[in-house]
Amino acid sequence: MILRVVALATLGCLMAHAAKPNLLRLGPQGVNFWKLDQLHSSNSQQLPVDGLFLQDSSETPLQLPHELNNKPEFTAQWFEQPLDHFGSSTNDTFMQRYWVNKRHYQPGSSVVFLLDGGETSGEDRIPFLDTGIVDILARATGGLGVVLEHRYYGESIATKNLTTDSLRFLNNAQSAADSANFMANVQFSGIDENLTAPGTPWIYYGGSYAGARAAHMRVLYPDLVYGAIASSAVTHAAIINWEYMDIIRRYADPTCSLHLQKAIETIDTILDHRVLSAPLKALFGVHGLNHDVDFVSLIESPLGSWQAKVWDPQVGSTTFDEFCAALNQPLGHKKPNMTRLEYGHPDRMVSFPGGLKVDIAIVNYGAWIKKHVVSRCPEGFSHEECFGTFDDTHYQDTSLSEIWRLWLFQVCTEWGYFTTAPPDPTVPRIISKRIDLEYESKICRQAYDPGEHFTVPPLPNVTVVNELGDFDIAMDRLAIIDGEVDPWRPDTPHSDYANDREDTMLRPFKIIPNGVHHYDEYGLQNPDDEPPEIRKIHEEMVAFVQHWLRDWKADSQEI
């Protein structure tokens, strides 16, 4: 039976904005933000371009121009896949969506570049097919470009609901088998030449989670994947991922970072002593929020906008820098030069009724949260309804519209990445000590009831990811590319925990100075308009791919 679900109009509206993994990194609080986002979207209210709900994931969602979305050359096509590649539990199949760039294709000496859609709608990746890395590499080699949507995401829907049992086929092994089956059997419309692997060289590209998949595909299916480029590839899965916030702390503007650290220390101390916790929450506009841990999770939200930075201002976010600038703004009667004083200086302190007295950084922090986050809570809704996370019923809708359930299911079963405070209390931190594994992982127990065929484990089985190579994953024709200030770098082969390695043409190992998340994936119509460091990495990528392909041609001639 083919599971091709035709979504109702209301479902289409709800799914218009994908549940981005950087947002869901906030665990149950992230789901609250997603629900508010959908509520505003369904009410046809304009979403902020670079506000709270813009993620990067991997993944800064590119604003897809209307004319690009309707280009005939990027019309969606479909490939039938087994729901279960490895067992006899079901004979169901589903239709997997893909898009093709044929504008540079040269018959007879071709190469196929497959971009893994990762944990979002494949439509979000079409710009990479048009001006980004896929088009860059295809143009340089006369190749064909493809974006392949990940099972369960976008319209590649493999089930009628999102219960635990229905999601049991959403795992690394099944999704890798999808890609392998596609490469080995797809026939491209309008192309007479057989371009299937292994008879044609396929270069697999992915960024972030999809970057890990690119590396894994080179390891798991070396006969089909001739080469792979793993950008910001999180090849190390971790239960606790405190290093994510530590990268931001270390590389943010020093004044901003210091104010964040001091503000969080102050907030934790106030919450410890309880007496002034109510006026503190009121300062942030959430006096009705019952649990302190929900409060500190809520105020963590602007930090995720660091990952949304992109060198191209058309798709990048400036939210983090704006937030940082707001922290140290002078207040009313306060003198402008007081911003140069140390945190906690008497001239920086502001008193409130009830005995609360805090530095202006905390006052500004509260004002920013009220304006950009709490304001999203609709009139008639309580703070607890908008931002509370301890009501299990809030997370148990399993209809197809609840697409936040997809990536979090993968988090809870195989990937982890629960972003907590540092386990070592002596390590400086920019999020509260109350954000711990218990709080961040409780969404796994709240959302995924045990099924008849599958039960979510108490903690994710990260071994199934790490046994594929972890920090040391390496093969010939596997390129590793990372950003220097990417908060996900601690989970990549460029992690401080990983061994250094040589950068060669056969095994490229490159770091983009001041780069954040998969910076190489973006491109411009005119490459000369790209920043020097981006032009450089693109030129290096073209060079090593051309080197790989010369080896392919040499091997083919020998045969």
Side-chain angles (χ1 to χ4, degrees), residues 41-230:
S41 177
S42 64
N43 289 336
S44 300
Q45 297 184 16
Q46 182 65 38
L47 292 174
V49 174
D50 62 350
L52 168 67
F53 300 98
L54 187 150
Q55 81 97 41
D56 105 290
S57 275
S58 80
E59 325 322 312
T60 304
L62 298 180
Q63 303 299 312
L64 191 62
H66 178 76
E67 63 272 15
L68 178 58
N69 199 25
N70 290 282
K71 276 188 178 181
E73 66 176 316
F74 298 136
T75 300
Q77 301 178 54
W78 302 90
F79 182 84
E80 187 173 356
Q81 293 278 16
L83 182 58
D84 182 5
H85 287 274
F86 306 109
S88 57
S89 60
T90 177
N91 293 319
D92 289 344
T93 63
F94 71 98
M95 302 303 292
Q96 188 171 27
R97 191 166 55 157
Y98 67 97
W99 298 262
V100 180
N101 175 344
K102 295 186 287 187
R103 61 173 68 136
H104 307 295
Y105 164 65
Q106 296 178 6
S109 58
S110 196
V111 54
V112 180
F113 297 96
L114 187 154
L115 186 143
D116 190 304
E119 69 288 42
T120 187
S121 167
E123 292 180 2
D124 290 345
R125 310 306 191 192
I126 294 178
F128 301 135
L129 196 64
D130 184 52
T131 61
I133 191 60
V134 178
D135 188 71
I136 291 168
L137 295 176
R139 182 173 62 244
T141 59
L144 193 78
V146 179
V147 167
L148 182 64
E149 190 169 65
H150 195 294
R151 62 165 47 206
Y152 285 79
Y153 291 91
E155 293 185 17
S156 297
I157 303 171
T159 180
K160 295 180 179 179
N161 55 49
L162 302 180
T163 63
T164 303
D165 273 345
S166 294
L167 291 171
R168 71 188 188 276
F169 297 113
L170 177 56
N171 57 50
N172 293 337
Q174 296 287 355
S175 56
D178 285 341
S179 297
N181 189 38
F182 179 84
M183 290 187 292
N185 293 289
V186 68
Q187 297 296 318
F188 294 109
S189 175
I191 294 179
D192 294 332
E193 185 178 12
N194 182 356
L195 297 179
T196 56
T200 298
W202 283 64
I203 308 294
Y204 203 108
Y205 180 97
S208 194
Y209 159 68
R213 283 178 42 75
H216 294 163
M217 287 298 297
R218 180 73 182 107
V219 170
L220 291 170
Y221 297 97
D223 294 337
L224 297 177
V225 179
Y226 180 68
I229 303 172

Side-chain angles (χ1 to χ4, degrees), residues 278-511:
L280 175 68
K281 290 180 184 178
L283 183 61
F284 283 78
V286 285
H287 55 275
L289 200 53
N290 295 334
H291 296 270
D292 290 348
V293 68
D294 283 340
F295 166 62
V296 293
S297 177
L298 178 73
I299 68 174
E300 174 194 6
S301 56
L303 306 184
S305 59
W306 176 276
Q307 186 179 326
K309 292 184 175 188
V310 177
W311 57 265
D312 180 358
Q314 295 300 312
V315 296
S317 168
T318 58
T319 298
F320 186 88
D321 294 335
E322 292 165 3
F323 168 69
C324 269
L327 283 185
N328 203 34
Q329 289 296 311
L331 297 176
H333 65 281
K334 295 286 184 180
K335 296 179 181 179
N337 63 3
M338 51 78 63
T339 60
R340 294 193 292 270
L341 300 174
E342 290 185 1
Y343 179 97
H345 188 282
D347 289 346
R348 289 178 57 96
M349 302 301 285
V350 182
S351 298
F352 293 90
L356 181 66
K357 188 175 183 179
V358 294
D359 186 274
I360 61 163
I362 294 180
V363 179
N364 288 329
Y365 199 163
W368 200 96
I369 292 294
K370 282 193 289 189
K371 179 179 178 180
H372 295 279
V373 183
V374 180
S375 63
R376 301 290 293 179
C377 189
E379 186 176 354
F381 283 68
S382 70
H383 295 150
E384 193 65 24
E385 287 173 316
C386 287
F387 306 118
T389 71
F390 285 84
D391 182 353
D392 293 355
T393 63
H394 194 53
Y395 305 106
Q396 293 177 346
D397 184 351
T398 60
S399 62
L400 287 176
S401 62
E402 302 296 301
I403 55 176
W404 61 267
R405 297 180 66 84
L406 300 174
W407 175 241
L408 280 181
F409 181 82
Q410 294 186 258
V411 164
C412 294
T413 53
E414 295 182 334
W415 290 86
Y417 301 133
F418 299 113
T419 308
T420 69
D424 182 349
T426 66
V427 174
R429 52 190 168 80
I430 56 175
I431 64 173
S432 170
K433 64 184 181 182
R434 287 168 168 76
I435 300 178
D436 58 14
L437 179 60
E438 170 63 26
Y439 178 75
E440 289 296 295
S441 66
K442 72 185 179 69
I443 187 67
C444 302
R445 299 178 290 279
Q446 293 175 298
Y448 305 105
D449 291 334
E452 181 181 350
H453 303 289
F454 186 82
T455 298
V456 171
L459 288 173
N461 180 16
V462 296
T463 300
V464 300
V465 176
N466 294 334
E467 66 187 2
L468 297 176
D470 207 319
F471 292 127
D472 296 323
I473 192 168
M475 283 191 70
D476 289 350
R477 298 186 303 277
L478 170 56
I480 304 294
I481 301 175
D482 291 303
E484 179 186 17
V485 298
D486 185 353
W488 288 104
R489 183 169 61 81
D491 299 298
T492 75
H494 274 102
S495 170
D496 294 343
Y497 298 128
N499 296 316
D500 197 11
R501 59 178 91 172
E502 187 180 0
D503 174 24
T504 68
M505 293 295 279
L506 199 57
R507 296 188 176 192
F509 189 67
K510 300 181 181 297
I511 195 84

